[in-house]
Amino acid sequence: MKRILAVVSMCMFLAASGLALAKEWKEVRIGVEGAYPPFSYVQPDGQLAGFDIDIAKALGKAMGVKVTLVAQDWDGIIPGLLAKKYDAIIASMSITEERLKKVGFSHKYYQTPAKFIIKKGTMENFSREAIKGKSVGVQRATIHDKYLTDNYGKDVTIKRYGTQDEAYLDLAAGRVDMLLADSVALSDGFLKKPEGKDYMFIGPDLNDPKWFGNGAGIAIRKEDKDLAEMFNKAIDTIRADGTYKTIQDKYFDFNVYGE
């Protein structure tokens, strides 16, 4: 009886002091977007695929946990995490100071620059004067949206979209002059496709940490520090054993991890 009381007292002490007993993670629910090729997209058979999806599955295997993917629109992806709809987000989410106020992050699992694209022949050289008056499409509530708003909000008309695919459709239809997004997403999701043949990158690589953070990481609730550490170890594991490179080479012909 005394032993039971001692255990109960210890649990009460831990709870009162803010020290939670470590959770044993057997299943990790991961929020994904599914509308950001080549990182995540839905195949004709309805299955999720892409770099983010394969990385999520590989990390789950390295951690020895069951992974359940939960598709979620980008606009609600952080609220869904905080509401415990899932336990982590693997959706090409950049690690920024603004997001760190709301959620925790693993180390980065890839890092690529942002760029503008425009129809060939409509602008020879990129400059603030050249971009003035243009309509620029961007995915809503992203780092690209923040950068565009802060740096060109007074010079251009910003058109915000719920998904990157919607932005591609409007660019091809001539309803917007330019797009700003991740360079790899733009290349694979639009420029390499038939509808993108008349378009090109313009301007410099954009990677200032003030807006673009320190690479894409796995978002977790701040209290789940043990889960963040599990992801950190799993990232190291798949990079060391060749799994990461196998996944990378499936989608890209360059080092997507960065420096």
Side-chain angles (χ1 to χ4, degrees):
M1 185 65 180
K2 290 182 179 180
R3 183 181 180 84
I4 294 173
L5 289 172
V7 171
V8 172
S9 297
M10 179 58 71
C11 290
M12 292 176 65
F13 170 76
L14 290 171
S17 61
L19 299 173
L21 295 173
K23 178 177 178 178
E24 184 179 357
W25 296 93
K26 295 182 179 180
E27 177 183 6
V28 177
R29 298 163 301 156
I30 297 177
V32 298
E33 185 181 5
Y36 196 61
F39 296 101
S40 67
Y41 54 92
V42 180
Q43 300 181 105
D45 63 1
Q47 296 297 306
L48 287 160
F51 178 78
D52 282 345
I53 306 304
D54 288 355
I55 287 291
K57 292 176 180 177
L59 292 175
K61 183 176 180 180
M63 294 189 295
V65 301
K66 175 185 176 183
V67 165
T68 299
L69 301 177
V70 181
Q72 170 67 55
D73 289 344
W74 178 261
D75 287 356
I77 207 162
I78 286 181
L81 175 67
L82 298 178
K84 300 189 176 181
K85 186 176 178 180
Y86 30 81
D87 306 303
I89 297 170
I90 298 183
S92 296
M93 182 173 285
S94 296
I95 306 165
T96 66
E97 290 299 321
E98 184 176 354
R99 288 176 180 148
L100 283 166
K101 295 174 183 177
K102 298 178 181 178
V103 299
F105 275 98
S106 70
H107 300 326
K108 74 170 185 178
Y109 67 95
Y110 85 85
Q111 188 166 17
T112 51
K115 286 187 81 74
F116 287 96
I117 58 172
I118 194 168
K119 194 168 187 177
K120 295 175 181 176
T122 57
M123 187 185 296
E124 290 187 10
N125 296 298
F126 182 90
S127 68
R128 182 173 293 277
E129 190 61 31
I131 198 177
K132 196 168 185 178
K134 300 289 187 184
S135 57
V136 185
V138 69
Q139 188 173 4
R140 186 186 305 116
T142 60
I143 54 173
H144 311 104
D145 186 355
K146 175 71 171 169
Y147 174 84
L148 189 63
T149 302
D150 288 353
N151 290 276
Y152 296 96
K154 295 180 180 179
D155 300 315
V156 303
T157 299
I158 302 173
K159 189 166 183 182
R160 297 176 174 86
Y161 297 88
T163 70
Q164 197 63 46
D165 286 343
E166 292 171 350
Y168 296 149
L169 289 172
D170 265 14
L171 182 65
R175 289 187 287 266
V176 66
D177 299 316
M178 305 174 69
L179 294 184
L180 174 65
D182 178 85
S183 57
V184 176
L186 288 171
S187 178
D188 286 49
F190 186 73
L191 294 179
K192 291 181 180 179
K193 294 185 175 181
E195 56 269 32
K197 64 182 178 63
D198 294 327
Y199 294 81
M200 66 178 190
F201 284 121
I202 193 164
D205 287 352
L206 302 171
N207 51 23
D208 189 328
K210 179 178 178 180
W211 288 281
F212 300 102
N214 297 295
I218 300 159
I220 47 87
R221 290 181 290 274
K222 286 188 175 185
E223 63 266 27
D224 291 334
K225 292 181 175 61
D226 55 338
L227 182 58
E229 188 55 35
M230 287 172 63
F231 274 119
N232 288 338
K233 290 179 179 178
I235 291 169
D236 291 343
T237 296
I238 66 171
R239 281 180 48 75
D241 68 13
T243 301
Y244 185 95
K245 188 175 188 305
T246 297
I247 296 171
Q248 170 188 274
D249 292 351
K250 179 179 174 182
Y251 297 97
F252 314 111
D253 57 4
F254 61 95
N255 174 22
V256 75
Y257 186 80
E259 296 299 327

